[in-house]
Amino acid sequence: VTDIENFLSEHRQHFVLCGMPQGFYDRGWSLRGTENFLIDFMDNPQFVEQLFEALTDYYLKLLDDIARFPFDGIRFGDDWGAQRGMLMGPMRWRKFIKPGLTKIFDKARRQGLVVMVHSDGDIMEIIPDLIEIGVQILNPIQPEAMDIFKIKRLFGSTLCLNGGISSQYTLPMGTAAGVRQEVTACLRYLAHGGGYVIGTTKGILADTPFENTVALVETILNQPVKPLPVTESLPDSVPELEKVYKAFHS
């Protein structure tokens, strides 16, 4: 408790989220193994429901502990997406996972907490569901798995986006100039009208060239462009924001 209080006291000027990692699906496969747990959705649905109900109760109680401290919000982490589509499919996500999330996020919002969700992969099909149940920030919007400019155009007015810089393609395999170009495009277009926190979709991985890391940090710090003015409409296409997605989905 003292460590939490000291940390929050030292970071009063920052927006601080309390992490709620491993969520529902991640905790299930870590207990059962990925293949076994995906089979459970089909062959043993009662077990999945009971597990997720128990986890929902756990997270609801955890929110009471979080509310004792002046956190700004929660970061709920659970990985539902693959490179193409969702691991369990949108229908099973809505049946098994969405009900618990609805209860958790409703309580968090009533406690005055901002709700952030982290999910790797392609979760395009359930973004409207996430908005419906109270999600306000979505991370990490992987450009390898989703068309991030399309997400901005469709949902940017109601959802804050966090991430967008390719950790799987541009940073390790691109050039420093390409990194600067991608970062600049994110700042220019994803920040249109606000609602964007720039960042990499993963940490800076070991295979990232040093010069690309420098280009990333310098461009973010210097911010050579301003966001497209709100008086201007977003263009139909931004090649710099679409090239990574096309490289994986051509």
Side-chain angles (χ1 to χ4, degrees):
V1 171
T2 301
D3 290 343
I4 296 173
E5 291 174 342
N6 289 340
F7 177 85
L8 291 170
S9 177
E10 293 170 3
H11 296 83
R12 288 176 181 169
Q13 74 277 27
H14 296 129
F15 186 82
V16 182
L17 301 171
C18 182
M20 301 176 74
Q22 281 206 293
F24 290 105
Y25 173 74
D26 284 352
R27 201 170 291 272
W29 72 252
S30 66
L31 292 170
R32 294 276 292 134
T34 301
E35 184 175 347
N36 288 335
F37 194 54
L38 286 173
I39 292 173
D40 286 337
F41 278 89
M42 297 289 293
D43 291 350
N44 198 2
Q46 186 177 6
F47 163 73
V48 176
E49 289 177 343
Q50 290 173 343
L51 174 63
F52 288 172
E53 286 173 2
L55 288 171
T56 298
D57 291 340
Y58 166 76
Y59 287 124
L60 291 173
K61 293 175 183 176
L62 183 59
L63 281 172
D64 292 330
D65 292 329
I66 292 172
R68 294 166 52 198
F69 305 95
F71 287 104
D72 296 294
I74 59 169
R75 180 188 185 273
F76 191 92
D78 207 12
D79 291 326
W80 308 311
Q83 199 79 45
R84 292 173 181 260
M86 297 183 64
L87 292 164
M88 72 293 297
M91 290 181 61
R92 292 185 183 88
W93 181 90
R94 293 182 180 112
K95 178 180 179 180
F96 292 101
I97 296 177
K98 184 177 178 179
L101 292 180
T102 301
K103 294 178 182 178
I104 295 164
F105 297 162
D106 178 67
K107 182 171 182 176
R109 293 287 296 268
R110 285 189 282 108
Q111 290 177 333
L113 296 166
V114 170
V115 175
M116 175 182 183
V117 158
H118 162 89
S119 175
D120 291 336
D122 179 7
I123 60 167
M124 187 74 177
E125 292 175 286
I126 62 164
I127 291 178
D129 296 84
L130 294 175
I131 295 170
E132 173 196 330
I133 62 177
V135 174
Q136 295 155 286
I137 308 173
L138 182 62
N139 163 276
I141 53 167
Q142 287 183 275
E144 299 89 354
M146 297 187 290
D147 184 339
I148 61 174
F149 185 58
K150 182 178 180 180
I151 292 174
K152 175 64 179 182
R153 292 190 55 164
L154 291 177
F155 309 112
S157 62
T158 53
L159 193 63
C160 177
L161 306 177
N162 171 220
I165 304 298
S166 169
S167 299
Q168 188 179 345
Y169 184 76
T170 305
L171 282 174
M173 300 170 61
T175 64
V179 171
R180 292 189 185 93
Q181 186 180 54
E182 187 170 309
V183 173
T184 299
C186 284
L187 292 168
R188 177 71 171 164
Y189 298 104
L190 296 188
H192 175 261
Y196 177 60
V197 181
I198 195 167
T200 57
T201 56
K202 293 288 186 182
I204 298 174
L205 304 177
D207 58 348
T208 300
F210 179 72
E211 57 270 23
N212 286 6
T213 303
V214 172
L216 168 74
V217 174
E218 286 184 344
T219 309
I220 291 176
L221 290 178
N222 294 332
Q223 298 202 8
V225 297
K226 293 182 179 180
L228 188 71
V230 293
T231 54
E232 298 183 29
S233 300
L234 287 169
D236 293 332
S237 176
V238 177
E240 298 90 343
L241 294 180
E242 298 163 347
K243 65 178 181 180
V244 175
Y245 179 77
K246 289 181 178 179
F248 285 79
H249 295 262
S250 58

